[in-house]
PDB file of all heavy atoms in Angstrom:
ATOM      1  N   THR N1298     -79.100  55.389  -4.593  1.00  0.00           N
ATOM      2  CA  THR N1298     -79.979  56.020  -5.557  1.00  0.00           C
ATOM      3  C   THR N1298     -79.220  56.949  -6.478  1.00  0.00           C
ATOM      4  O   THR N1298     -79.780  57.473  -7.423  1.00  0.00           O
ATOM      5  CB  THR N1298     -81.043  56.861  -4.829  1.00  0.00           C
ATOM      6  OG1 THR N1298     -80.375  57.740  -3.932  1.00  0.00           O
ATOM      7  CG2 THR N1298     -82.022  55.997  -4.071  1.00  0.00           C
ATOM      8  N   GLY N1299     -77.977  57.172  -6.169  1.00  0.00           N
ATOM      9  CA  GLY N1299     -77.193  58.147  -6.917  1.00  0.00           C
ATOM     10  C   GLY N1299     -76.801  57.660  -8.294  1.00  0.00           C
ATOM     11  O   GLY N1299     -77.156  56.566  -8.712  1.00  0.00           O
ATOM     12  N   THR N1300     -76.040  58.500  -8.972  1.00  0.00           N
ATOM     13  CA  THR N1300     -75.608  58.136 -10.309  1.00  0.00           C
ATOM     14  C   THR N1300     -74.490  57.112 -10.241  1.00  0.00           C
ATOM     15  O   THR N1300     -73.835  56.942  -9.225  1.00  0.00           O
ATOM     16  CB  THR N1300     -75.063  59.370 -11.055  1.00  0.00           C
ATOM     17  OG1 THR N1300     -73.955  59.871 -10.298  1.00  0.00           O
ATOM     18  CG2 THR N1300     -76.110  60.438 -11.200  1.00  0.00           C
ATOM     19  N   GLN N1301     -74.301  56.442 -11.386  1.00  0.00           N
ATOM     20  CA  GLN N1301     -73.258  55.439 -11.478  1.00  0.00           C
ATOM     21  C   GLN N1301     -71.909  56.069 -11.167  1.00  0.00           C
ATOM     22  O   GLN N1301     -71.070  55.495 -10.468  1.00  0.00           O
ATOM     23  CB  GLN N1301     -73.259  54.865 -12.901  1.00  0.00           C
ATOM     24  CG  GLN N1301     -72.383  53.674 -13.080  1.00  0.00           C
ATOM     25  CD  GLN N1301     -72.927  52.455 -12.354  1.00  0.00           C
ATOM     26  OE1 GLN N1301     -74.106  52.391 -12.030  1.00  0.00           O
ATOM     27  NE2 GLN N1301     -72.050  51.516 -12.075  1.00  0.00           N
ATOM     28  N   ALA N1302     -71.688  57.302 -11.681  1.00  0.00           N
ATOM     29  CA  ALA N1302     -70.407  57.977 -11.458  1.00  0.00           C
ATOM     30  C   ALA N1302     -70.150  58.145  -9.979  1.00  0.00           C
ATOM     31  O   ALA N1302     -69.062  57.861  -9.480  1.00  0.00           O
ATOM     32  CB  ALA N1302     -70.404  59.324 -12.145  1.00  0.00           C
ATOM     33  N   ALA N1303     -71.173  58.560  -9.246  1.00  0.00           N
ATOM     34  CA  ALA N1303     -71.015  58.750  -7.799  1.00  0.00           C
ATOM     35  C   ALA N1303     -70.741  57.436  -7.109  1.00  0.00           C
ATOM     36  O   ALA N1303     -69.894  57.313  -6.239  1.00  0.00           O
ATOM     37  CB  ALA N1303     -72.286  59.390  -7.230  1.00  0.00           C
ATOM     38  N   ARG N1304     -71.456  56.372  -7.559  1.00  0.00           N
ATOM     39  CA  ARG N1304     -71.292  55.080  -6.893  1.00  0.00           C
ATOM     40  C   ARG N1304     -69.905  54.512  -7.110  1.00  0.00           C
ATOM     41  O   ARG N1304     -69.378  53.778  -6.282  1.00  0.00           O
ATOM     42  CB  ARG N1304     -72.337  54.088  -7.423  1.00  0.00           C
ATOM     43  CG  ARG N1304     -73.729  54.417  -6.947  1.00  0.00           C
ATOM     44  CD  ARG N1304     -74.650  53.262  -6.933  1.00  0.00           C
ATOM     45  NE  ARG N1304     -74.572  52.447  -8.144  1.00  0.00           N
ATOM     46  CZ  ARG N1304     -75.554  51.625  -8.521  1.00  0.00           C
ATOM     47  NH1 ARG N1304     -76.652  51.555  -7.815  1.00  0.00           N
ATOM     48  NH2 ARG N1304     -75.434  50.881  -9.582  1.00  0.00           N
ATOM     49  N   GLU N1305     -69.308  54.871  -8.234  1.00  0.00           N
ATOM     50  CA  GLU N1305     -67.967  54.362  -8.476  1.00  0.00           C
ATOM     51  C   GLU N1305     -66.899  55.202  -7.821  1.00  0.00           C
ATOM     52  O   GLU N1305     -65.821  54.723  -7.505  1.00  0.00           O
ATOM     53  CB  GLU N1305     -67.712  54.232  -9.977  1.00  0.00           C
ATOM     54  CG  GLU N1305     -68.169  52.873 -10.445  1.00  0.00           C
ATOM     55  CD  GLU N1305     -68.099  52.704 -11.936  1.00  0.00           C
ATOM     56  OE1 GLU N1305     -67.458  53.524 -12.604  1.00  0.00           O
ATOM     57  OE2 GLU N1305     -68.722  51.743 -12.423  1.00  0.00           O
ATOM     58  N   ALA N1306     -67.202  56.487  -7.621  1.00  0.00           N
ATOM     59  CA  ALA N1306     -66.187  57.369  -7.040  1.00  0.00           C
ATOM     60  C   ALA N1306     -66.019  57.120  -5.553  1.00  0.00           C
ATOM     61  O   ALA N1306     -64.925  57.195  -5.012  1.00  0.00           O
ATOM     62  CB  ALA N1306     -66.570  58.815  -7.292  1.00  0.00           C
ATOM     63  N   GLY N1307     -67.097  56.794  -4.883  1.00  0.00           N
ATOM     64  CA  GLY N1307     -67.025  56.617  -3.436  1.00  0.00           C
ATOM     65  C   GLY N1307     -66.388  55.282  -3.089  1.00  0.00           C
ATOM     66  O   GLY N1307     -66.275  54.412  -3.948  1.00  0.00           O
ATOM     67  N   ASN N1308     -65.945  55.139  -1.824  1.00  0.00           N
ATOM     68  CA  ASN N1308     -65.453  53.823  -1.447  1.00  0.00           C
ATOM     69  C   ASN N1308     -66.449  53.068  -0.576  1.00  0.00           C
ATOM     70  O   ASN N1308     -66.158  52.021  -0.048  1.00  0.00           O
ATOM     71  CB  ASN N1308     -64.061  53.877  -0.808  1.00  0.00           C
ATOM     72  CG  ASN N1308     -63.940  54.977   0.214  1.00  0.00           C
ATOM     73  OD1 ASN N1308     -64.960  55.487   0.684  1.00  0.00           O
ATOM     74  ND2 ASN N1308     -62.732  55.337   0.566  1.00  0.00           N
ATOM     75  N   MET N1309     -67.640  53.643  -0.452  1.00  0.00           N
ATOM     76  CA  MET N1309     -68.743  52.924   0.191  1.00  0.00           C
ATOM     77  C   MET N1309     -70.022  53.268  -0.540  1.00  0.00           C
ATOM     78  O   MET N1309     -70.145  54.365  -1.080  1.00  0.00           O
ATOM     79  CB  MET N1309     -68.899  53.344   1.644  1.00  0.00           C
ATOM     80  CG  MET N1309     -67.846  52.795   2.546  1.00  0.00           C
ATOM     81  SD  MET N1309     -68.233  53.185   4.253  1.00  0.00           S
ATOM     82  CE  MET N1309     -66.628  53.025   4.951  1.00  0.00           C
ATOM     83  N   VAL N1310     -70.933  52.343  -0.520  1.00  0.00           N
ATOM     84  CA  VAL N1310     -72.249  52.620  -1.098  1.00  0.00           C
ATOM     85  C   VAL N1310     -73.282  52.317  -0.027  1.00  0.00           C
ATOM     86  O   VAL N1310     -73.254  51.256   0.582  1.00  0.00           O
ATOM     87  CB  VAL N1310     -72.510  51.734  -2.326  1.00  0.00           C
ATOM     88  CG1 VAL N1310     -73.892  52.004  -2.875  1.00  0.00           C
ATOM     89  CG2 VAL N1310     -71.462  51.974  -3.403  1.00  0.00           C
ATOM     90  N   ASP N1311     -74.134  53.308   0.217  1.00  0.00           N
ATOM     91  CA  ASP N1311     -75.207  53.078   1.178  1.00  0.00           C
ATOM     92  C   ASP N1311     -76.448  52.632   0.413  1.00  0.00           C
ATOM     93  O   ASP N1311     -77.041  53.418  -0.325  1.00  0.00           O
ATOM     94  CB  ASP N1311     -75.493  54.347   1.964  1.00  0.00           C
ATOM     95  CG  ASP N1311     -76.624  54.115   2.954  1.00  0.00           C
ATOM     96  OD1 ASP N1311     -76.990  52.934   3.170  1.00  0.00           O
ATOM     97  OD2 ASP N1311     -77.131  55.105   3.489  1.00  0.00           O
ATOM     98  N   LEU N1312     -76.789  51.355   0.592  1.00  0.00           N
ATOM     99  CA  LEU N1312     -77.916  50.811  -0.174  1.00  0.00           C
ATOM    100  C   LEU N1312     -79.236  51.434   0.239  1.00  0.00           C
ATOM    101  O   LEU N1312     -80.183  51.473  -0.521  1.00  0.00           O
ATOM    102  CB  LEU N1312     -77.955  49.294  -0.018  1.00  0.00           C
ATOM    103  CG  LEU N1312     -76.720  48.580  -0.542  1.00  0.00           C
ATOM    104  CD1 LEU N1312     -76.749  47.116  -0.163  1.00  0.00           C
ATOM    105  CD2 LEU N1312     -76.584  48.734  -2.034  1.00  0.00           C
ATOM    106  N   ASP N1313     -79.322  51.914   1.476  1.00  0.00           N
ATOM    107  CA  ASP N1313     -80.557  52.540   1.929  1.00  0.00           C
ATOM    108  C   ASP N1313     -80.643  53.995   1.524  1.00  0.00           C
ATOM    109  O   ASP N1313     -81.666  54.635   1.725  1.00  0.00           O
ATOM    110  CB  ASP N1313     -80.655  52.516   3.463  1.00  0.00           C
ATOM    111  CG  ASP N1313     -80.782  51.109   3.979  1.00  0.00           C
ATOM    112  OD1 ASP N1313     -81.132  50.228   3.168  1.00  0.00           O
ATOM    113  OD2 ASP N1313     -80.541  50.896   5.172  1.00  0.00           O
ATOM    114  N   SER N1314     -79.538  54.529   1.035  1.00  0.00           N
ATOM    115  CA  SER N1314     -79.488  55.951   0.669  1.00  0.00           C
ATOM    116  C   SER N1314     -79.921  56.839   1.826  1.00  0.00           C
ATOM    117  O   SER N1314     -80.687  57.754   1.671  1.00  0.00           O
ATOM    118  CB  SER N1314     -80.357  56.220  -0.552  1.00  0.00           C
ATOM    119  OG  SER N1314     -79.985  55.353  -1.597  1.00  0.00           O
ATOM    120  N   ASN N1315     -79.400  56.534   2.993  1.00  0.00           N
ATOM    121  CA  ASN N1315     -79.735  57.310   4.175  1.00  0.00           C
ATOM    122  C   ASN N1315     -78.503  58.062   4.658  1.00  0.00           C
ATOM    123  O   ASN N1315     -77.579  57.470   5.180  1.00  0.00           O
ATOM    124  CB  ASN N1315     -80.246  56.361   5.269  1.00  0.00           C
ATOM    125  CG  ASN N1315     -80.373  57.038   6.611  1.00  0.00           C
ATOM    126  OD1 ASN N1315     -80.265  58.271   6.711  1.00  0.00           O
ATOM    127  ND2 ASN N1315     -80.576  56.253   7.635  1.00  0.00           N
ATOM    128  N   PRO N1316     -78.479  59.383   4.438  1.00  0.00           N
ATOM    129  CA  PRO N1316     -77.240  60.127   4.693  1.00  0.00           C
ATOM    130  C   PRO N1316     -76.754  60.063   6.143  1.00  0.00           C
ATOM    131  O   PRO N1316     -75.558  60.158   6.393  1.00  0.00           O
ATOM    132  CB  PRO N1316     -77.600  61.551   4.295  1.00  0.00           C
ATOM    133  CG  PRO N1316     -78.802  61.428   3.448  1.00  0.00           C
ATOM    134  CD  PRO N1316     -79.526  60.231   3.926  1.00  0.00           C
ATOM    135  N   THR N1317     -77.662  59.950   7.104  1.00  0.00           N
ATOM    136  CA  THR N1317     -77.184  59.958   8.498  1.00  0.00           C
ATOM    137  C   THR N1317     -76.469  58.658   8.840  1.00  0.00           C
ATOM    138  O   THR N1317     -75.890  58.531   9.899  1.00  0.00           O
ATOM    139  CB  THR N1317     -78.335  60.136   9.491  1.00  0.00           C
ATOM    140  OG1 THR N1317     -79.350  59.203   9.141  1.00  0.00           O
ATOM    141  CG2 THR N1317     -78.902  61.540   9.441  1.00  0.00           C
ATOM    142  N   LYS N1318     -76.507  57.728   7.931  1.00  0.00           N
ATOM    143  CA  LYS N1318     -75.824  56.444   8.148  1.00  0.00           C
ATOM    144  C   LYS N1318     -74.329  56.647   8.396  1.00  0.00           C
ATOM    145  O   LYS N1318     -73.681  55.806   9.024  1.00  0.00           O
ATOM    146  CB  LYS N1318     -76.037  55.591   6.890  1.00  0.00           C
ATOM    147  CG  LYS N1318     -75.693  54.137   7.041  1.00  0.00           C
ATOM    148  CD  LYS N1318     -76.756  53.366   7.759  1.00  0.00           C
ATOM    149  CE  LYS N1318     -77.967  53.071   6.925  1.00  0.00           C
ATOM    150  NZ  LYS N1318     -77.700  52.292   5.745  1.00  0.00           N
ATOM    151  N   LEU N1319     -73.803  57.743   7.879  1.00  0.00           N
ATOM    152  CA  LEU N1319     -72.370  57.975   8.023  1.00  0.00           C
ATOM    153  C   LEU N1319     -71.929  57.905   9.483  1.00  0.00           C
ATOM    154  O   LEU N1319     -70.832  57.436   9.789  1.00  0.00           O
ATOM    155  CB  LEU N1319     -72.012  59.336   7.429  1.00  0.00           C
ATOM    156  CG  LEU N1319     -70.545  59.568   7.131  1.00  0.00           C
ATOM    157  CD1 LEU N1319     -69.959  58.413   6.350  1.00  0.00           C
ATOM    158  CD2 LEU N1319     -70.367  60.848   6.361  1.00  0.00           C
TER     159      LEU N1319
END
Side-chain angles (χ1 to χ4, degrees):
Chain N
T1298 53
T1300 60
Q1301 189 70 20
R1304 290 204 315 201
E1305 272 173 15
N1308 45 18
M1309 286 187 201
V1310 178
D1311 179 13
L1312 298 171
D1313 293 343
S1314 306
N1315 169 10
T1317 50
K1318 194 78 76 61
L1319 197 49

